[in-house]
Amino acid sequence: MATIDVFSYDVPAESDFGYSQAIRSGELVHVSGQLAFDEAGEFLHPGDFTAQLKQTYANMDRILDHYGATRRQIVSQTLYLVNLRQNAAATMDGNLRYFGDHRPASTVLGITELALPGQLVEISFVIDTKLPA
């Protein structure tokens, strides 16, 4: 029987919009788009792509920690970027630093805007907890 485990930061947006940060079903964890916010749910670094990317990766690590997983267990990711061409080099550098030699499946989408004013990046991903850490 599959188990379901829902992860929440308990920030207002979760209840206002009606979503979970992550939901585990069996061995897979599906993670909603992560962005640059602090533990109180306050959006950080409007307009600063590099700082937002760094905070987004830190928030991804919080979810991995919750599920006892590591970056090596991320099997896919989707990155949503405002100003794709302008932020491509920083994205590639950040991605290589975050994953090291691990190579998850990856999709990068250039978009016009994200949910919050000044938000430039959002990353959703899937974790397979059965893979070796």
Side-chain angles (χ1 to χ4, degrees):
M1 176 183 225
T3 60
I4 294 180
D5 176 17
V6 175
F7 175 77
S8 171
Y9 291 126
D10 294 321
V11 296
E14 295 167 348
S15 59
D16 292 348
F17 191 73
Y19 76 100
S20 299
Q21 294 294 331
I23 185 167
R24 179 180 182 156
S25 179
E27 304 299 334
L28 295 180
V29 179
H30 298 271
V31 183
S32 295
Q34 296 300 293
L35 53 127
F37 57 86
D38 62 17
E39 292 186 17
E42 296 297 318
F43 179 63
L44 304 172
H45 317 297
D48 184 338
F49 183 83
T50 302
Q52 285 185 36
L53 187 61
K54 183 177 179 180
Q55 183 63 46
T56 299
Y57 285 135
N59 289 341
M60 290 170 63
D61 284 342
R62 289 172 59 197
I63 292 173
L64 289 168
D65 289 345
H66 173 80
Y67 288 102
T70 70
R71 297 171 185 180
R72 298 194 70 75
Q73 292 170 297
I74 295 176
V75 294
S76 67
Q77 66 173 343
T78 302
L79 295 89
Y80 303 89
L81 308 177
V82 176
N83 302 322
L84 174 62
R85 300 281 178 248
Q86 178 182 335
N87 295 315
T91 301
M92 289 185 285
D93 182 60
N95 194 67
L96 289 171
R97 287 176 188 267
Y98 185 75
F99 285 108
D101 65 353
H102 178 56
R103 300 288 183 258
S106 185
T107 300
V108 179
L109 301 168
I111 58 173
T112 305
E113 63 184 355
L114 288 161
L116 302 173
Q119 182 185 354
L120 302 173
V121 61
E122 188 164 322
I123 304 173
S124 63
F125 58 104
V126 177
I127 306 164
D128 185 341
T129 60
K130 194 170 184 177
L131 291 176

